[in-house]
Amino acid sequence: MLSYEPGATVAHRLDPRSKIGFQIGFAVAAFTVSTLAGLAGVYAVGLGCLLAARLSPVRALRAYWFVLVFLGFGPLFGGLTLGPPWFRVDGALTSLRGVARIVPLLFVSAAFVHSTPVRDTRAAIQHTVPGKLGQLLGIGVALTFRFVPVVRTDVGRIREAISARGGDERTLRDRASRIARLSLVRSLQRAGRLSVALRARCLAYNPTLPALSLSGLDYLVFALSIGLVLVSVLV
Amino acid sequence: MSERHESVELVPDTTVVYVAVSVLLAALTAVLAQLSLPVPGIPVPFSLQPFGVFFAGLLLGPVWGGFTLLLYIVTGLAGAPVFSGGGAGVAYFLGPTGGFLVGFLLAAVVIGAVVHRGIEPRSLTAVSTVTQALALAVGIVVVYAVGVPWFAVVSDISLTAAATAMAPFFPPDVLKAVLTLGAVAGGVEAFDQVR
């Protein structure tokens, strides 16, 4: 599982807004590239991002195993036919060229996740998304991030309790229903306590955010992002 | 000596309650996304993720149900490993299964709209089981209507091939919708207490 790790790399020093901008520019470039040379260039930039974050490609790919499994479905089902010859190589290759564009995106995304604390991304959201929606989204993301481990522990305890009572012997339908119902009730009880706590602390639309500032390097990354989009669209 | 005064704009109590429930349901969706029950003899894992989507739409209505899934997606985009398989980041969203994330968001909105027939969520005790079932059925259709073409485009395969690849996931999702009707009834009392 890939998550933020503190560090002093180039990627760590960048403002989250420039990194988000770069990901968008890079995604446009990756999806519009049509030549083999262009694809090689996209891979080179993707690997460069991993280098800038000091993250190994193997670790990045391992973190996205779920995406890779579904990427593998593409060439497999792209080649399958309903009659003889049952599998067409050209169909599989067409799909393979399509899914190959996603892998460098995984690299850039992994570099972002590895080098950006969620707190900074939350601040970037609240700075960028206007109005109360941006504020609520920022607050919500920060709270969701904190509550995922809590809910995971709750659901784990529910599963253990069901298992201790011989629940593993029950039908799939029964097990799934019990886990879903009990998890929902437990989560709603937590939501009740959270809302009381937030009201007691006078939750406001204008909280103190971590300071974000753009450096010269960030402007360079913004320029690179725009350059990527222009090159991919014009070439 | 100088003094600084800043006005504080408090979030209304009702909004605080809906934000708190949205946060917990987004966190529950994240946890259930990484939880699947093994089914002997069947290679497709029985993921519990759709429960979170169904609960959000049924209990919170179109606005806050949609906000719940928006929170879930943005938390994943921000780098928290909340997507299936512990995934995170923009690449996951733009990958072959990203359409299902968008489908989840739209499904929560549609389910909420069908059940609550307005922006403000009402108690589920006032909604018939048939209406809830219909809403979930429409929700599943929305998820696949977005997810399958997205998978086809990203993987560069035909829509038929994409539908064939995703077909094994459809019957379990229908079963999850049926189970949701029973499971959500247990949560209605807890939700009404929170409100």
Side-chain angles (χ1 to χ4, degrees), chain A residues 164-193:
Chain A
R165 289 164 178 78
D168 290 340
E169 306 301 318
R170 291 178 181 273
T171 60
L172 170 76
R173 190 182 161 147
D174 189 76
R175 275 182 292 155
S177 180
R178 276 170 196 272
I179 292 171
R181 190 180 73 248
L182 295 170
S183 302
L184 174 66
V185 171
R186 191 72 61 88
S187 297
L188 289 172
Q189 287 168 345
R190 282 205 182 276
R193 292 199 290 275

PDB file of all heavy atoms in Angstrom, chain A residues 164-193:
ATOM      1  N   ALA A 164     -16.382 -15.573  15.656  1.00  0.00           N
ATOM      2  CA  ALA A 164     -16.342 -16.245  16.960  1.00  0.00           C
ATOM      3  C   ALA A 164     -17.647 -16.966  17.270  1.00  0.00           C
ATOM      4  O   ALA A 164     -17.668 -17.929  18.038  1.00  0.00           O
ATOM      5  CB  ALA A 164     -16.043 -15.223  18.056  1.00  0.00           C
ATOM      6  N   ARG A 165     -18.737 -16.490  16.644  1.00  0.00           N
ATOM      7  CA  ARG A 165     -20.045 -17.125  16.872  1.00  0.00           C
ATOM      8  C   ARG A 165     -20.376 -18.133  15.771  1.00  0.00           C
ATOM      9  O   ARG A 165     -21.553 -18.449  15.545  1.00  0.00           O
ATOM     10  CB  ARG A 165     -21.130 -16.051  16.956  1.00  0.00           C
ATOM     11  CG  ARG A 165     -21.067 -15.221  18.227  1.00  0.00           C
ATOM     12  CD  ARG A 165     -21.869 -13.940  18.110  1.00  0.00           C
ATOM     13  NE  ARG A 165     -21.849 -13.172  19.339  1.00  0.00           N
ATOM     14  CZ  ARG A 165     -20.831 -12.417  19.737  1.00  0.00           C
ATOM     15  NH1 ARG A 165     -19.751 -12.335  18.987  1.00  0.00           N
ATOM     16  NH2 ARG A 165     -20.891 -11.761  20.875  1.00  0.00           N
ATOM     17  N   GLY A 166     -19.349 -18.582  15.062  1.00  0.00           N
ATOM     18  CA  GLY A 166     -19.559 -19.597  14.018  1.00  0.00           C
ATOM     19  C   GLY A 166     -20.121 -19.021  12.736  1.00  0.00           C
ATOM     20  O   GLY A 166     -20.681 -19.748  11.906  1.00  0.00           O
ATOM     21  N   GLY A 167     -19.973 -17.699  12.556  1.00  0.00           N
ATOM     22  CA  GLY A 167     -20.537 -17.046  11.376  1.00  0.00           C
ATOM     23  C   GLY A 167     -19.896 -17.490  10.070  1.00  0.00           C
ATOM     24  O   GLY A 167     -20.519 -17.386   9.009  1.00  0.00           O
ATOM     25  N   ASP A 168     -18.642 -17.972  10.136  1.00  0.00           N
ATOM     26  CA  ASP A 168     -17.957 -18.400   8.915  1.00  0.00           C
ATOM     27  C   ASP A 168     -18.662 -19.589   8.263  1.00  0.00           C
ATOM     28  O   ASP A 168     -18.444 -19.879   7.084  1.00  0.00           O
ATOM     29  CB  ASP A 168     -16.493 -18.758   9.219  1.00  0.00           C
ATOM     30  CG  ASP A 168     -15.690 -17.506   9.565  1.00  0.00           C
ATOM     31  OD1 ASP A 168     -16.145 -16.404   9.207  1.00  0.00           O
ATOM     32  OD2 ASP A 168     -14.629 -17.629  10.215  1.00  0.00           O
ATOM     33  N   GLU A 169     -19.455 -20.286   9.059  1.00  0.00           N
ATOM     34  CA  GLU A 169     -20.175 -21.452   8.528  1.00  0.00           C
ATOM     35  C   GLU A 169     -21.484 -21.032   7.839  1.00  0.00           C
ATOM     36  O   GLU A 169     -22.127 -21.848   7.182  1.00  0.00           O
ATOM     37  CB  GLU A 169     -20.514 -22.435   9.674  1.00  0.00           C
ATOM     38  CG  GLU A 169     -19.320 -22.887  10.522  1.00  0.00           C
ATOM     39  CD  GLU A 169     -18.258 -23.583   9.694  1.00  0.00           C
ATOM     40  OE1 GLU A 169     -18.631 -24.389   8.821  1.00  0.00           O
ATOM     41  OE2 GLU A 169     -17.061 -23.294   9.896  1.00  0.00           O
ATOM     42  N   ARG A 170     -21.881 -19.786   8.026  1.00  0.00           N
ATOM     43  CA  ARG A 170     -23.153 -19.337   7.451  1.00  0.00           C
ATOM     44  C   ARG A 170     -23.001 -19.072   5.952  1.00  0.00           C
ATOM     45  O   ARG A 170     -21.896 -19.047   5.430  1.00  0.00           O
ATOM     46  CB  ARG A 170     -23.620 -18.059   8.155  1.00  0.00           C
ATOM     47  CG  ARG A 170     -24.039 -18.278   9.589  1.00  0.00           C
ATOM     48  CD  ARG A 170     -24.433 -16.965  10.227  1.00  0.00           C
ATOM     49  NE  ARG A 170     -24.810 -17.149  11.613  1.00  0.00           N
ATOM     50  CZ  ARG A 170     -26.045 -17.472  12.015  1.00  0.00           C
ATOM     51  NH1 ARG A 170     -26.990 -17.645  11.132  1.00  0.00           N
ATOM     52  NH2 ARG A 170     -26.314 -17.621  13.292  1.00  0.00           N
ATOM     53  N   THR A 171     -24.113 -18.815   5.291  1.00  0.00           N
ATOM     54  CA  THR A 171     -24.078 -18.578   3.847  1.00  0.00           C
ATOM     55  C   THR A 171     -23.435 -17.210   3.556  1.00  0.00           C
ATOM     56  O   THR A 171     -23.397 -16.332   4.435  1.00  0.00           O
ATOM     57  CB  THR A 171     -25.503 -18.569   3.250  1.00  0.00           C
ATOM     58  OG1 THR A 171     -26.225 -17.512   3.887  1.00  0.00           O
ATOM     59  CG2 THR A 171     -26.197 -19.895   3.486  1.00  0.00           C
ATOM     60  N   LEU A 172     -22.987 -17.058   2.318  1.00  0.00           N
ATOM     61  CA  LEU A 172     -22.379 -15.783   1.890  1.00  0.00           C
ATOM     62  C   LEU A 172     -23.370 -14.633   2.083  1.00  0.00           C
ATOM     63  O   LEU A 172     -23.012 -13.557   2.574  1.00  0.00           O
ATOM     64  CB  LEU A 172     -21.977 -15.893   0.421  1.00  0.00           C
ATOM     65  CG  LEU A 172     -21.541 -14.593  -0.246  1.00  0.00           C
ATOM     66  CD1 LEU A 172     -20.136 -14.215   0.201  1.00  0.00           C
ATOM     67  CD2 LEU A 172     -21.595 -14.697  -1.750  1.00  0.00           C
ATOM     68  N   ARG A 173     -24.607 -14.897   1.713  1.00  0.00           N
ATOM     69  CA  ARG A 173     -25.665 -13.896   1.807  1.00  0.00           C
ATOM     70  C   ARG A 173     -25.834 -13.420   3.258  1.00  0.00           C
ATOM     71  O   ARG A 173     -25.922 -12.221   3.524  1.00  0.00           O
ATOM     72  CB  ARG A 173     -26.948 -14.569   1.305  1.00  0.00           C
ATOM     73  CG  ARG A 173     -28.081 -13.659   1.097  1.00  0.00           C
ATOM     74  CD  ARG A 173     -29.280 -14.457   0.642  1.00  0.00           C
ATOM     75  NE  ARG A 173     -30.462 -13.651   0.882  1.00  0.00           N
ATOM     76  CZ  ARG A 173     -31.542 -13.667   0.142  1.00  0.00           C
ATOM     77  NH1 ARG A 173     -31.617 -14.456  -0.872  1.00  0.00           N
ATOM     78  NH2 ARG A 173     -32.559 -12.896   0.419  1.00  0.00           N
ATOM     79  N   ASP A 174     -25.806 -14.364   4.169  1.00  0.00           N
ATOM     80  CA  ASP A 174     -25.999 -14.045   5.584  1.00  0.00           C
ATOM     81  C   ASP A 174     -24.795 -13.265   6.135  1.00  0.00           C
ATOM     82  O   ASP A 174     -24.964 -12.263   6.837  1.00  0.00           O
ATOM     83  CB  ASP A 174     -26.185 -15.359   6.362  1.00  0.00           C
ATOM     84  CG  ASP A 174     -26.604 -15.087   7.789  1.00  0.00           C
ATOM     85  OD1 ASP A 174     -27.779 -14.762   7.987  1.00  0.00           O
ATOM     86  OD2 ASP A 174     -25.741 -15.164   8.689  1.00  0.00           O
ATOM     87  N   ARG A 175     -23.601 -13.726   5.777  1.00  0.00           N
ATOM     88  CA  ARG A 175     -22.380 -13.059   6.271  1.00  0.00           C
ATOM     89  C   ARG A 175     -22.310 -11.619   5.767  1.00  0.00           C
ATOM     90  O   ARG A 175     -22.058 -10.678   6.532  1.00  0.00           O
ATOM     91  CB  ARG A 175     -21.132 -13.818   5.794  1.00  0.00           C
ATOM     92  CG  ARG A 175     -20.734 -14.979   6.688  1.00  0.00           C
ATOM     93  CD  ARG A 175     -19.480 -15.630   6.156  1.00  0.00           C
ATOM     94  NE  ARG A 175     -19.742 -16.298   4.882  1.00  0.00           N
ATOM     95  CZ  ARG A 175     -18.820 -16.549   3.949  1.00  0.00           C
ATOM     96  NH1 ARG A 175     -17.586 -16.168   4.135  1.00  0.00           N
ATOM     97  NH2 ARG A 175     -19.131 -17.179   2.848  1.00  0.00           N
ATOM     98  N   ALA A 176     -22.527 -11.449   4.448  1.00  0.00           N
ATOM     99  CA  ALA A 176     -22.436 -10.109   3.847  1.00  0.00           C
ATOM    100  C   ALA A 176     -23.471  -9.173   4.461  1.00  0.00           C
ATOM    101  O   ALA A 176     -23.170  -8.012   4.778  1.00  0.00           O
ATOM    102  CB  ALA A 176     -22.635 -10.208   2.339  1.00  0.00           C
ATOM    103  N   SER A 177     -24.685  -9.699   4.650  1.00  0.00           N
ATOM    104  CA  SER A 177     -25.760  -8.878   5.199  1.00  0.00           C
ATOM    105  C   SER A 177     -25.444  -8.426   6.628  1.00  0.00           C
ATOM    106  O   SER A 177     -25.648  -7.264   6.990  1.00  0.00           O
ATOM    107  CB  SER A 177     -27.061  -9.690   5.171  1.00  0.00           C
ATOM    108  OG  SER A 177     -28.106  -8.932   5.686  1.00  0.00           O
ATOM    109  N   ARG A 178     -24.920  -9.372   7.431  1.00  0.00           N
ATOM    110  CA  ARG A 178     -24.590  -9.039   8.828  1.00  0.00           C
ATOM    111  C   ARG A 178     -23.478  -7.993   8.894  1.00  0.00           C
ATOM    112  O   ARG A 178     -23.566  -7.022   9.644  1.00  0.00           O
ATOM    113  CB  ARG A 178     -24.104 -10.293   9.570  1.00  0.00           C
ATOM    114  CG  ARG A 178     -25.219 -11.133  10.099  1.00  0.00           C
ATOM    115  CD  ARG A 178     -24.685 -12.477  10.604  1.00  0.00           C
ATOM    116  NE  ARG A 178     -25.798 -13.403  10.764  1.00  0.00           N
ATOM    117  CZ  ARG A 178     -26.516 -13.511  11.873  1.00  0.00           C
ATOM    118  NH1 ARG A 178     -26.211 -12.783  12.922  1.00  0.00           N
ATOM    119  NH2 ARG A 178     -27.519 -14.350  11.944  1.00  0.00           N
ATOM    120  N   ILE A 179     -22.421  -8.206   8.106  1.00  0.00           N
ATOM    121  CA  ILE A 179     -21.290  -7.261   8.127  1.00  0.00           C
ATOM    122  C   ILE A 179     -21.764  -5.874   7.697  1.00  0.00           C
ATOM    123  O   ILE A 179     -21.440  -4.864   8.332  1.00  0.00           O
ATOM    124  CB  ILE A 179     -20.140  -7.747   7.202  1.00  0.00           C
ATOM    125  CG1 ILE A 179     -19.510  -9.014   7.776  1.00  0.00           C
ATOM    126  CG2 ILE A 179     -19.079  -6.666   7.035  1.00  0.00           C
ATOM    127  CD1 ILE A 179     -18.521  -9.693   6.842  1.00  0.00           C
ATOM    128  N   ALA A 180     -22.571  -5.830   6.615  1.00  0.00           N
ATOM    129  CA  ALA A 180     -23.037  -4.535   6.096  1.00  0.00           C
ATOM    130  C   ALA A 180     -23.910  -3.830   7.136  1.00  0.00           C
ATOM    131  O   ALA A 180     -23.720  -2.636   7.408  1.00  0.00           O
ATOM    132  CB  ALA A 180     -23.822  -4.755   4.804  1.00  0.00           C
ATOM    133  N   ARG A 181     -24.864  -4.569   7.732  1.00  0.00           N
ATOM    134  CA  ARG A 181     -25.798  -3.930   8.669  1.00  0.00           C
ATOM    135  C   ARG A 181     -25.075  -3.421   9.923  1.00  0.00           C
ATOM    136  O   ARG A 181     -25.233  -2.264  10.319  1.00  0.00           O
ATOM    137  CB  ARG A 181     -26.895  -4.927   9.068  1.00  0.00           C
ATOM    138  CG  ARG A 181     -28.030  -4.269   9.847  1.00  0.00           C
ATOM    139  CD  ARG A 181     -29.118  -5.245  10.245  1.00  0.00           C
ATOM    140  NE  ARG A 181     -28.696  -6.138  11.316  1.00  0.00           N
ATOM    141  CZ  ARG A 181     -28.493  -7.454  11.191  1.00  0.00           C
ATOM    142  NH1 ARG A 181     -28.679  -8.029  10.018  1.00  0.00           N
ATOM    143  NH2 ARG A 181     -28.120  -8.191  12.212  1.00  0.00           N
ATOM    144  N   LEU A 182     -24.248  -4.296  10.504  1.00  0.00           N
ATOM    145  CA  LEU A 182     -23.564  -3.909  11.744  1.00  0.00           C
ATOM    146  C   LEU A 182     -22.546  -2.788  11.503  1.00  0.00           C
ATOM    147  O   LEU A 182     -22.393  -1.888  12.331  1.00  0.00           O
ATOM    148  CB  LEU A 182     -22.875  -5.133  12.367  1.00  0.00           C
ATOM    149  CG  LEU A 182     -23.849  -6.232  12.845  1.00  0.00           C
ATOM    150  CD1 LEU A 182     -23.097  -7.494  13.230  1.00  0.00           C
ATOM    151  CD2 LEU A 182     -24.667  -5.723  14.026  1.00  0.00           C
ATOM    152  N   SER A 183     -21.870  -2.832  10.355  1.00  0.00           N
ATOM    153  CA  SER A 183     -20.901  -1.774  10.024  1.00  0.00           C
ATOM    154  C   SER A 183     -21.614  -0.437   9.859  1.00  0.00           C
ATOM    155  O   SER A 183     -21.107   0.607  10.293  1.00  0.00           O
ATOM    156  CB  SER A 183     -20.150  -2.097   8.727  1.00  0.00           C
ATOM    157  OG  SER A 183     -19.495  -3.317   8.824  1.00  0.00           O
ATOM    158  N   LEU A 184     -22.785  -0.480   9.224  1.00  0.00           N
ATOM    159  CA  LEU A 184     -23.557   0.755   9.020  1.00  0.00           C
ATOM    160  C   LEU A 184     -23.983   1.347  10.358  1.00  0.00           C
ATOM    161  O   LEU A 184     -23.797   2.551  10.603  1.00  0.00           O
ATOM    162  CB  LEU A 184     -24.780   0.458   8.146  1.00  0.00           C
ATOM    163  CG  LEU A 184     -25.757   1.622   7.961  1.00  0.00           C
ATOM    164  CD1 LEU A 184     -25.098   2.760   7.184  1.00  0.00           C
ATOM    165  CD2 LEU A 184     -27.028   1.169   7.243  1.00  0.00           C
ATOM    166  N   VAL A 185     -24.529   0.498  11.223  1.00  0.00           N
ATOM    167  CA  VAL A 185     -25.004   0.997  12.523  1.00  0.00           C
ATOM    168  C   VAL A 185     -23.835   1.585  13.316  1.00  0.00           C
ATOM    169  O   VAL A 185     -23.934   2.691  13.869  1.00  0.00           O
ATOM    170  CB  VAL A 185     -25.691  -0.145  13.323  1.00  0.00           C
ATOM    171  CG1 VAL A 185     -25.988   0.295  14.747  1.00  0.00           C
ATOM    172  CG2 VAL A 185     -26.975  -0.573  12.620  1.00  0.00           C
ATOM    173  N   ARG A 186     -22.709   0.867  13.350  1.00  0.00           N
ATOM    174  CA  ARG A 186     -21.538   1.341  14.099  1.00  0.00           C
ATOM    175  C   ARG A 186     -21.035   2.679  13.529  1.00  0.00           C
ATOM    176  O   ARG A 186     -20.700   3.599  14.276  1.00  0.00           O
ATOM    177  CB  ARG A 186     -20.423   0.279  14.024  1.00  0.00           C
ATOM    178  CG  ARG A 186     -19.247   0.510  14.951  1.00  0.00           C
ATOM    179  CD  ARG A 186     -19.571   0.269  16.405  1.00  0.00           C
ATOM    180  NE  ARG A 186     -19.984  -1.094  16.663  1.00  0.00           N
ATOM    181  CZ  ARG A 186     -19.148  -2.100  16.945  1.00  0.00           C
ATOM    182  NH1 ARG A 186     -17.879  -1.881  16.995  1.00  0.00           N
ATOM    183  NH2 ARG A 186     -19.605  -3.311  17.182  1.00  0.00           N
ATOM    184  N   SER A 187     -21.019   2.790  12.204  1.00  0.00           N
ATOM    185  CA  SER A 187     -20.540   4.028  11.569  1.00  0.00           C
ATOM    186  C   SER A 187     -21.477   5.198  11.868  1.00  0.00           C
ATOM    187  O   SER A 187     -21.017   6.320  12.115  1.00  0.00           O
ATOM    188  CB  SER A 187     -20.426   3.844  10.048  1.00  0.00           C
ATOM    189  OG  SER A 187     -19.482   2.853   9.761  1.00  0.00           O
ATOM    190  N   LEU A 188     -22.790   4.925  11.857  1.00  0.00           N
ATOM    191  CA  LEU A 188     -23.740   6.000  12.135  1.00  0.00           C
ATOM    192  C   LEU A 188     -23.649   6.453  13.595  1.00  0.00           C
ATOM    193  O   LEU A 188     -23.800   7.643  13.893  1.00  0.00           O
ATOM    194  CB  LEU A 188     -25.167   5.540  11.801  1.00  0.00           C
ATOM    195  CG  LEU A 188     -25.456   5.387  10.305  1.00  0.00           C
ATOM    196  CD1 LEU A 188     -26.820   4.749  10.070  1.00  0.00           C
ATOM    197  CD2 LEU A 188     -25.392   6.739   9.590  1.00  0.00           C
ATOM    198  N   GLN A 189     -23.376   5.497  14.495  1.00  0.00           N
ATOM    199  CA  GLN A 189     -23.189   5.881  15.904  1.00  0.00           C
ATOM    200  C   GLN A 189     -21.964   6.778  16.041  1.00  0.00           C
ATOM    201  O   GLN A 189     -21.973   7.772  16.770  1.00  0.00           O
ATOM    202  CB  GLN A 189     -23.033   4.626  16.767  1.00  0.00           C
ATOM    203  CG  GLN A 189     -24.351   3.871  16.953  1.00  0.00           C
ATOM    204  CD  GLN A 189     -24.168   2.489  17.541  1.00  0.00           C
ATOM    205  OE1 GLN A 189     -23.056   1.957  17.572  1.00  0.00           O
ATOM    206  NE2 GLN A 189     -25.255   1.890  18.006  1.00  0.00           N
ATOM    207  N   ARG A 190     -20.912   6.434  15.309  1.00  0.00           N
ATOM    208  CA  ARG A 190     -19.699   7.279  15.322  1.00  0.00           C
ATOM    209  C   ARG A 190     -19.998   8.652  14.729  1.00  0.00           C
ATOM    210  O   ARG A 190     -19.482   9.673  15.195  1.00  0.00           O
ATOM    211  CB  ARG A 190     -18.568   6.612  14.543  1.00  0.00           C
ATOM    212  CG  ARG A 190     -17.873   5.513  15.305  1.00  0.00           C
ATOM    213  CD  ARG A 190     -16.460   5.288  14.821  1.00  0.00           C
ATOM    214  NE  ARG A 190     -15.856   4.197  15.556  1.00  0.00           N
ATOM    215  CZ  ARG A 190     -15.271   4.332  16.739  1.00  0.00           C
ATOM    216  NH1 ARG A 190     -15.183   5.520  17.312  1.00  0.00           N
ATOM    217  NH2 ARG A 190     -14.744   3.291  17.343  1.00  0.00           N
ATOM    218  N   ALA A 191     -20.820   8.671  13.663  1.00  0.00           N
ATOM    219  CA  ALA A 191     -21.178   9.951  13.028  1.00  0.00           C
ATOM    220  C   ALA A 191     -21.910  10.851  14.026  1.00  0.00           C
ATOM    221  O   ALA A 191     -21.687  12.068  14.050  1.00  0.00           O
ATOM    222  CB  ALA A 191     -22.045   9.698  11.803  1.00  0.00           C
ATOM    223  N   GLY A 192     -22.760  10.245  14.845  1.00  0.00           N
ATOM    224  CA  GLY A 192     -23.482  11.014  15.871  1.00  0.00           C
ATOM    225  C   GLY A 192     -22.518  11.667  16.843  1.00  0.00           C
ATOM    226  O   GLY A 192     -22.644  12.864  17.150  1.00  0.00           O
ATOM    227  N   ARG A 193     -21.547  10.886  17.285  1.00  0.00           N
ATOM    228  CA  ARG A 193     -20.563  11.429  18.245  1.00  0.00           C
ATOM    229  C   ARG A 193     -19.685  12.483  17.572  1.00  0.00           C
ATOM    230  O   ARG A 193     -19.340  13.503  18.172  1.00  0.00           O
ATOM    231  CB  ARG A 193     -19.710  10.288  18.822  1.00  0.00           C
ATOM    232  CG  ARG A 193     -20.512   9.345  19.724  1.00  0.00           C
ATOM    233  CD  ARG A 193     -19.591   8.534  20.620  1.00  0.00           C
ATOM    234  NE  ARG A 193     -18.823   7.537  19.899  1.00  0.00           N
ATOM    235  CZ  ARG A 193     -19.267   6.320  19.596  1.00  0.00           C
ATOM    236  NH1 ARG A 193     -20.482   5.956  19.946  1.00  0.00           N
ATOM    237  NH2 ARG A 193     -18.506   5.466  18.953  1.00  0.00           N
TER     238      ARG A 193
END
